[in-house]
Amino acid sequence: MKHKFCKQFFPIFLISLAFITNTCSIINSAEKKHIKGTLQKGRPANNIRQAGGPDCNGYTYIDSSEAGGPFYDFEDISLTGNEVVLSDDDVSPACPVGFNYFFYGKYYSNIYICSNGFITVDSSQDFSESWYNTPLPMPYEPFALIAGLWVDLNPEVGGNIHYQTLGTSPNRRFIVQFTNIEHYYNGNPVTFQIKIYESTGSIEVHYLSAPTDASYRTVGIEDLEGQCGLEYYYGTASLTTPLAVRFDPPAREINIREGSVSIPDGDTYNFGDQPVGSNTLKTFTIENLGISSNLALTGIPFITIDGPDSAEFNIDLQPTSPILPGDSKNFIVRYSPTSPDIKWATLHVENNDSDENPYEINLTSGGTPDIFLYQDYWEYLNNDDYYTPDTPVGSQTDIIFELCNVGDIDLSISNIIISGDGFSLISNPDSIIPPGNCSFFTIRWRPIDEYAVFGSISIISNDPYDNPFYLNLLGITAIFPKVKIINPKNNEIVKGTTNIEAIITEDWMLIIGKMEFFIDGKLVFSTKKQPYIYPWDTTSYSFGYHKIEAFAHDELDQIGSDSIWVKVDNPPEVTIVEPLENSIVFGMVDIKVTANDDEKIAKTDLFIDGFLKYSSNETSFTYSWDTSLVQNEMHIINAKAFDPAGQMGTDEVIVTLAKVNIFLNASRHTEKLWLNTIDYARIDFTIENKYNLPISKILILRKSLGSEYSPIKELLPSDLANNSYTYFDYNIAINTVYIYQIMALDASGKIVGLSNEKTLEKD
Amino acid sequence: MLASCLFAEKRAMISLSNNYILFNDKDYQNTYGYGSYFPELRFSYFLDDNLLIWSGLGLVSNDGNTPVLQLKSSSHQYFISLGGGYVISLYEYVDFISRLGLIWVYYDENVLNLSESGDSLGIRLDVSLQLAITDMLFIEISCGYLTASDKINNKEIDIGGFKTGIDFGIKL
C-alpha cells in the first residue's frame, strides 16, 4: 500500500536529509556509526550540470549538450526487444546482458529491471518501497542502480519495457527501453532507454520523452553500498528532450584496502595497541577500479613511509606495477614498536591516477579507549548525576544505557557495580567494545517506598582517564494519590445498574483534580466532584469478568489507581418478537420468542392468558397458537426466560384475537298438528364480523351429552339475512339434552369464529 | 205424488257427489285449511215413494305445511255412511230429500316420519233438492252436516263439519 502523504513529502524530507549529509557522513543515531561517502548535494530543478564527477570511484558524467558528450541516438527496440512485463513497484527476473559489463569495480552478466525507471545489479533488495526516489548516492535501498529516470512509474496502466543486446563482440551494447510508461498517479508517460557498452563500460541514457508529473525524479548511478554515486538530476522539472547522458567509469582508479575495508586517501589506519618488541604484519591491497587503463605505481620504491615514527613501520613486501584494470596487488607493512607511545607515520603510494596522486594513508598505533555514556541520546560525563523517571512504589522502570568507545583501541569492561536500594543491573554490556562501537546495558529502578534513593553506577574499564566511570543515580519515586474502589467488591457478581464508587485514601496534601473510571480499559466516567460514584449499567456488558479501574489525578497530574475484577451476570433478556404489542391476530398465530443471556438460557416458558403453553431451552423458538377454539378477544402472551442462576427476564404483549363473533340462542318448542306433535329446537344466531375475516361456510353443530359435536346444518354466508339465521332442529328426542354451537370456517377450513354453546335441557 | 209417478218404476239411485266440506277441527284447519273437496259415491234405494235407505263412500284427502316448521304433512279421512231418508215431491221435476245416517270414519295424518291414525263413528244429516233432467238422470243440490270425534294422544279431535255439494246421478 502506497501512502500518498509519503509520496508527496518523502522527497522533501530526502532533500533536507541530503543537505544535512553534505559533509559526506551520515550518522545513524541508533548505532552511532560513521558512514563515509561522497554524497552529491541535491540541486534545484532546472539547474542541470551538463558534466560532473568524479565520484569516489572515479565515475564522471556528461550530457549531449556538452562537447565530447554522447550523441543522442534513440535506438527503438520496442518491436524487436524482449518484453518484460512488470507490475507496479516490481522488479524483473535476471535479464541476460549478453556480455560481461563493468560497474563500480566489478563485472556482471545480468541486469534486473525495476518498474520505477531504473536497473540494478542486485536483485536481493526490497523493491516494494522503490517508488520513492531519492537523491544519489543515498545509503538506503535500493543500491547498485542505474537510474535512467527513477520516479514512481507504473507499467500496469500503460506502456511497455523491452531489453535487447545489439552489436557484435567486443562492441556490443545492452539496451533497456521504457516506452510510454506512465507515472503512478497522473499519467504523463515517459520514453527513454539505458545503454550499457561492452567495450568502455560507459552507461548512457537517451530520453525521447521525459515530461514531469510534478514529483521528484532522479537520474544518476550508485554503487553497491549507496556510498558512492553520481547524480545527474534530482528535481521536479521535465527533462528537455531529446537528451542523452553518459556515465563513464574511470579509466584507472586507485583504491587501497586492508582486508575488505577500504582506506580512503588521507584516512588513518591504526595497528592497535601492540606490545613493545612485537612485530605486527598487515597486508594491504592496491586495486585498479578503472576499466580501460593500467594503474602505474610511480614511486621509488613504489610504497614509501615517512613521518616521526616511520622507523617503526616497514614495508616487508612491495607491490608490482602496473596494475591492470580490475586487478590488484598486495603489499605488507610491518609495525615493530620500540616504546608504548602512540606512533605516527604516513604511507605514500605515488601513481598515475590523476585525482589521487599520491595516495596517502596515515599509520598509527597504540592509543587509549575512550568511554562515552549515553542514555536516551543524552551524554553523561564522569561523576554526572542521573535522575530516574518517576516510578511508583511497586512498579519498576528499566533504564537502558549506551556505552560507546570513541577511543583508538578496544574498550574492555571488567565490571559494572550498582549501588543504592532499589537499583539493580539487568543486563551487562559487551565486555570488549571496539573503537567506534557501542554496547548497551540496563539497570532497573524499583522503589521500595515513597522516598528518593541515591545510588551509583561504577563502570570499571581500561579507559585510563575515566576509570571507574562514575554516574550518580537519584531514584525518583512517583508520589501519587492512593485510590480504592469500595464498591463493588473484587470478584463480586454484579447485574443491572451497579454503582462504582471509589475513595481517596491518601492524597499527599494535593488536590484531586479528577477521578476516572475505566472498564475493560475504556474510559466510562470522569468527574471532578465527590463522591466518585458511577452508576454502571452492566446490561450492555457480556457475561463474565470485567476489569474496573479507578484513576485519581492530582493537581500535578500524578495518578493513583486501583482496580478490581467483577463478574457480570445479568438476567436473561426475552423478547416476544411476534406478535407485536396490541396487534390483531387470528387463525394459527406464530408466537416468536427470542431469549438472550450473557451466560446461557436455561429455560424459557411461554404463557397465554396465564396458562403455560410451551417451554424451551433454545434462544429462539416459535410456538403456533391455534386460536380456532379460543373465544375471548383480548389475550396476554407472556414469556419468561431463566438463566442457570435462576435469574428471570420477562416480556409480555397483549393481542386482540380477530374472531367472528357468533351469538347463539336456542330454545325448545313443540308444534302441534291435527294428530301429531313435533318437538323441535329453534336455533337463532347472529354473526358479527368486524374484522372482515373471510367466511366460507357456517356449521350448526349439535351434540348430546357424552358425544362429540357433529354438524347438522351447513350454511353459506349468503344464507344469512342481516347476519342472522334461524334454524329449526326437529330431529330431536324429547328426553335428550342437546348442546348447540355455531362454527364459522374460512375457505381453508380454519375456524374463524365459534359461538357460545347453548344447552337445551330435555322437556 | 208426481215423484212417485216419475219414479214409479225406478227404485234406486246412484250419484256421485262433489262436496265441499268446512272442517270443524281448529288444528286441522291450521295445517290443511278451512275446507276441502269431499267426493262421495252414494247409493239410495226407495222403499216406497217417500222412504229410502242410502249409503255413501267418501274421501277427504289433504296435504299441508305445518305452520311453524313448514313441514309437509298429509291427512286422509275415509267416510262410510248408512242411513235412511224421506222424499217429498215439490214439483213435477223437483223433489226435496232429507237423509239421516251414521258415519264410520277412518283417518290418518303423516308428517316427517310421524304417522297417526284412527277411526270413529258419528252421525250425518243431509238435505237436498233433486232436479230430474230426464227419466233417469238428475242433479241434486245438497247440504249437510257430519260429525264424529275421537281422542288420540290425549287430544280430542273433531272430524267432519258442514258440507255442501252437487250430485250427478242416475236412477235405475
Side-chain angles (χ1 to χ4, degrees):
Chain A
M1 176 71 71
K2 292 181 176 179
H3 301 284
K4 298 304 177 188
F5 179 84
C6 291
K7 296 189 82 162
Q8 185 174 357
F9 292 102
F10 189 76
I12 299 172
F13 159 73
L14 290 174
I15 290 173
S16 305
L17 185 61
F19 277 101
I20 292 169
T21 58
N22 194 30
T23 58
C24 298
S25 66
I26 295 176
I27 298 173
N28 183 328
S29 60
E31 300 181 358
K32 292 196 168 48
K33 289 181 179 178
H34 293 262
I35 303 169
K36 296 181 179 177
T38 55
L39 270 64
Q40 298 293 318
K41 181 178 180 180
R43 294 185 298 279
N46 300 320
N47 186 16
I48 299 174
R49 290 187 300 183
Q50 288 75 25
D55 65 6
C56 60
N57 256 296
Y59 271 84
T60 58
Y61 67 84
I62 187 168
D63 70 14
S64 53
S65 66
E66 286 284 289
F71 176 72
Y72 174 77
D73 181 17
F74 190 91
E75 301 175 89
D76 189 3
I77 62 169
S78 62
L79 299 178
T80 59
N82 302 305
E83 184 170 6
V84 177
V85 178
L86 298 177
S87 56
D88 192 23
D89 302 328
D90 194 10
V91 69
S92 74
C95 301
V97 172
F99 54 84
N100 290 333
Y101 65 95
F102 183 82
F103 186 69
Y104 276 104
K106 294 182 180 178
Y107 283 90
Y108 302 90
S109 59
N110 293 322
I111 200 78
Y112 304 89
I113 305 170
C114 179
S115 62
N116 288 320
F118 63 84
I119 60 178
T120 179
V121 299
D122 183 5
S123 65
S124 64
Q125 307 174 81
D126 178 12
F127 292 92
S128 63
E129 298 295 326
S130 66
W131 54 268
Y132 51 80
N133 51 298
T134 68
L136 294 176
M138 181 65 69
Y140 300 108
E141 288 186 345
F143 299 134
L145 52 84
I146 300 169
L149 191 65
W150 181 17
V151 68
D152 190 11
L153 300 177
N154 185 6
E156 285 184 353
V157 296
N160 44 50
I161 300 171
H162 295 83
Y163 71 88
Q164 188 174 9
T165 302
L166 300 178
T168 57
S169 178
N171 295 308
R172 288 171 288 189
R173 58 197 181 279
F174 176 77
I175 302 176
V176 175
Q177 181 171 319
F178 290 71
T179 308
N180 288 323
I181 304 295
E182 298 195 9
H183 289 84
Y184 170 74
Y185 183 66
N186 55 5
N188 298 328
V190 299
T191 301
F192 63 94
Q193 58 184 202
I194 302 170
K195 299 182 182 180
I196 302 175
Y197 288 87
E198 178 182 16
S199 58
T200 63
S202 295
I203 300 164
E204 292 182 358
V205 188
H206 294 253
Y207 299 93
L208 178 65
S209 174
T212 182
D213 71 330
S215 61
Y216 280 78
R217 67 271 305 278
T218 304
V219 178
I221 59 175
E222 186 185 66
D223 70 357
L224 272 70
E225 288 81 29
Q227 298 182 13
C228 193
L230 286 176
E231 180 185 283
Y232 172 73
Y233 180 67
Y234 180 74
T236 60
S238 300
L239 297 181
T240 302
T241 54
L243 173 68
V245 181
R246 186 177 70 231
F247 299 90
D248 290 315
R252 65 177 66 83
E253 179 66 20
I254 186 173
N255 183 54
I256 298 177
R257 55 182 168 82
E258 192 278 316
S260 61
V261 179
S262 291
I263 309 168
D265 183 20
D267 265 16
T268 299
Y269 182 81
N270 195 328
F271 276 76
D273 188 19
Q274 306 298 342
V276 174
S278 66
N279 289 298
T280 302
L281 300 177
K282 292 293 181 182
T283 300
F284 296 86
T285 302
I286 304 176
E287 297 175 304
N288 180 3
L289 301 180
I291 187 171
S292 57
S293 299
N294 293 342
L295 176 66
L297 305 180
T298 56
I300 301 174
F302 294 146
I303 310 294
T304 61
I305 297 175
D306 59 13
D309 301 307
S310 59
E312 299 186 26
F313 295 92
N314 294 288
I315 305 299
D316 273 13
L317 174 65
Q318 287 283 352
T320 60
S321 180
I323 304 172
L324 301 178
D327 200 359
S328 62
K329 303 294 183 183
N330 292 337
F331 65 94
I332 299 174
V333 177
R334 175 167 47 85
Y335 171 53
S336 304
T338 57
S339 67
D341 303 328
I342 296 174
K343 308 296 172 55
W344 286 99
T346 303
L347 182 147
H348 302 270
V349 181
E350 295 186 7
N351 63 88
N352 62 346
D353 185 343
S354 58
D355 61 339
E356 290 178 300
N357 183 32
Y359 197 106
E360 296 180 335
I361 299 173
N362 298 314
L363 302 177
T364 189
S365 67
T368 60
D370 193 359
I371 191 169
F372 269 61
L373 184 65
Y374 299 91
Q375 202 284 320
D376 198 18
Y377 305 115
W378 281 94
E379 180 186 350
Y380 289 86
L381 303 178
N382 197 0
N383 288 313
D384 269 358
D385 297 328
Y386 173 78
Y387 294 85
T388 69
D390 291 0
T391 305
V393 174
S395 62
Q396 61 193 27
T397 302
D398 288 343
I399 306 158
I400 300 173
F401 288 93
E402 188 176 18
L403 200 55
C404 295
N405 177 12
V406 297
D408 305 304
I409 64 171
D410 289 349
L411 174 65
S412 177
I413 307 298
S414 56
N415 198 6
I416 293 182
I417 301 170
I418 307 293
S419 69
D421 292 339
F423 290 105
S424 59
L425 181 66
I426 302 303
S427 67
N428 279 295
D430 295 338
S431 58
I432 302 295
I433 303 174
N437 285 358
C438 298
S439 183
F440 297 92
F441 69 96
T442 303
I443 68 167
R444 176 168 293 169
W445 164 233
R446 185 179 179 84
I448 55 177
D449 54 32
E450 286 81 12
Y451 301 103
V453 172
F454 292 97
S456 65
I457 302 174
S458 297
I459 304 172
I460 314 300
S461 72
N462 62 342
D463 186 332
Y465 307 108
D466 292 313
N467 189 28
F469 189 101
Y470 194 81
L471 184 67
N472 298 306
L473 299 175
L474 181 59
I476 306 300
T477 303
I479 299 174
F480 49 88
K482 289 188 177 178
V483 59
K484 180 171 180 57
I485 300 172
I486 61 172
N487 190 65
K489 306 300 183 188
N490 194 31
N491 291 320
E492 184 175 332
I493 296 175
V494 296
K495 62 184 177 180
T497 298
T498 299
N499 281 341
I500 299 175
E501 183 173 5
I503 59 171
I504 303 297
T505 59
E506 177 61 77
D507 59 10
W508 303 100
M509 305 298 288
L510 295 170
I511 298 172
I512 300 302
K514 64 179 176 181
M515 175 73 77
E516 294 176 329
F517 290 145
F518 286 72
I519 298 176
D520 298 334
K522 184 178 179 181
L523 178 65
V524 296
F525 183 67
S526 179
T527 182
K528 296 180 179 179
K529 295 181 179 178
Q530 294 193 59
Y532 307 121
I533 298 175
Y534 168 58
W536 177 30
D537 180 7
T538 67
T539 58
S540 59
Y541 286 77
S542 63
F543 171 82
Y545 282 93
H546 296 268
K547 186 178 185 181
I548 301 174
E549 296 172 288
F551 292 91
H553 299 249
D554 66 16
E555 57 189 347
L556 301 178
D557 205 27
Q558 298 174 123
I559 302 172
S561 67
D562 188 22
S563 65
I564 60 169
W565 288 88
V566 294
K567 184 179 182 182
V568 171
D569 188 3
N570 276 299
E573 288 186 0
V574 59
T575 303
I576 300 173
V577 180
E578 291 181 2
L580 300 176
E581 175 75 4
N582 295 323
S583 59
I584 297 173
V585 299
F586 72 97
M588 293 296 292
V589 180
D590 284 341
I591 301 174
K592 295 181 179 177
V593 178
T594 62
N596 295 295
D597 185 65
D598 46 11
E599 185 181 8
K600 71 178 228 182
I601 294 297
K603 183 180 72 167
T604 301
D605 291 336
L606 177 67
F607 298 85
I608 299 175
D609 299 329
F611 294 97
L612 178 63
K613 295 293 184 180
Y614 190 73
S615 286
S616 171
N617 58 3
E618 301 292 329
T619 57
S620 177
F621 66 85
T622 299
Y623 171 74
S624 294
W625 177 28
D626 183 1
T627 64
S628 58
L629 301 177
V630 179
Q631 294 283 347
N632 299 331
E633 279 191 89
M634 304 301 293
H635 298 274
I636 299 173
I637 302 172
N638 184 276
K640 296 178 179 177
F642 301 87
D643 67 8
Q647 298 185 105
M648 182 184 74
T650 183
D651 190 23
E652 181 178 288
V653 297
I654 297 175
V655 297
T656 299
L657 183 58
K659 303 284 291 183
V660 174
N661 292 320
I662 305 174
F663 306 100
L664 168 65
N665 194 16
S667 55
R668 272 185 184 272
H669 297 274
T670 299
E671 181 165 28
K672 293 180 179 179
L673 306 184
W674 181 44
L675 302 180
N676 294 287
T677 298
I678 301 175
D679 289 296
Y680 68 95
R682 175 177 175 133
I683 312 298
D684 295 293
F685 65 88
T686 300
I687 286 180
E688 181 186 63
N689 188 8
K690 61 184 176 182
Y691 301 106
N692 292 321
L693 298 181
I695 302 174
S696 177
K697 60 184 177 182
I698 300 161
L699 299 179
I700 301 174
L701 307 175
R702 185 188 72 184
K703 69 176 181 181
S704 56
L705 291 177
S707 63
E708 297 295 325
Y709 274 117
S710 60
I712 58 172
K713 180 69 176 177
E714 180 175 322
L715 301 169
L716 297 175
S718 58
D719 293 334
L720 276 63
N722 294 324
N723 296 320
S724 297
Y725 193 84
T726 298
Y727 177 70
F728 299 105
D729 180 17
Y730 42 79
N731 291 318
I732 60 174
I734 295 174
N735 295 320
T736 303
V737 175
Y738 291 104
I739 304 170
Y740 291 90
Q741 194 169 34
I742 311 300
M743 177 184 289
L745 306 173
D746 64 9
S748 64
K750 291 182 179 177
I751 301 172
V752 295
L754 196 64
S755 76
N756 56 308
E757 290 183 328
K758 190 68 178 179
T759 302
L760 296 184
E761 302 294 339
K762 53 190 173 184
D763 282 342
Chain B
M1 295 296 180
L2 180 59
S4 302
C5 293
L6 286 176
F7 301 109
E9 297 178 359
K10 307 289 192 261
R11 301 306 300 175
M13 293 185 295
I14 296 174
S15 64
L16 183 63
S17 297
N18 192 12
N19 303 300
Y20 191 84
I21 185 170
L22 298 175
F23 302 111
N24 285 335
D25 195 294
K26 294 292 182 185
D27 288 335
Y28 193 96
Q29 290 176 4
N30 288 337
T31 303
Y32 306 103
Y34 291 100
S36 71
Y37 289 103
F38 172 29
E40 186 176 35
L41 180 65
R42 189 160 54 189
F43 176 78
S44 301
Y45 182 78
F46 287 90
L47 298 178
D48 58 22
D49 289 343
N50 297 106
L51 292 175
L52 59 85
I53 58 173
W54 63 277
S55 68
L57 180 61
L59 171 63
V60 173
S61 177
N62 278 309
D63 293 329
N65 291 323
T66 63
V68 178
L69 301 178
Q70 290 295 300
L71 300 173
K72 288 188 179 301
S73 63
S74 62
S75 173
H76 303 91
Q77 297 176 29
Y78 301 94
F79 293 94
I80 297 176
S81 305
L82 182 62
Y86 186 79
V87 180
I88 300 174
S89 179
L90 300 179
Y91 301 100
E92 182 179 0
Y93 301 105
V94 180
D95 290 336
F96 173 79
I97 303 173
S98 62
R99 292 181 176 89
L100 179 65
L102 295 175
I103 57 173
W104 175 84
V105 59
Y106 173 81
Y107 55 86
D108 64 22
E109 184 181 57
N110 299 290
V111 59
L112 295 174
N113 56 349
L114 301 176
S115 181
E116 292 288 350
S117 62
D119 61 273
S120 180
L121 285 173
I123 60 172
R124 173 175 180 173
L125 174 64
D126 289 273
V127 292
S128 61
L129 290 176
Q130 187 179 77
L131 303 178
I133 299 172
T134 64
D135 286 346
M136 294 180 67
L137 298 178
F138 63 87
I139 296 172
E140 188 173 316
I141 299 169
S142 66
C143 64
Y145 185 80
L146 63 165
T147 182
S149 64
D150 200 355
K151 189 172 188 177
I152 186 167
N153 293 331
N154 296 320
K155 178 189 173 189
E156 292 289 343
I157 60 171
D158 290 331
I159 304 166
F162 179 77
K163 79 170 188 65
T164 183
I166 182 170
D167 293 16
F168 297 94
I170 184 169
K171 293 181 178 176
L172 301 175

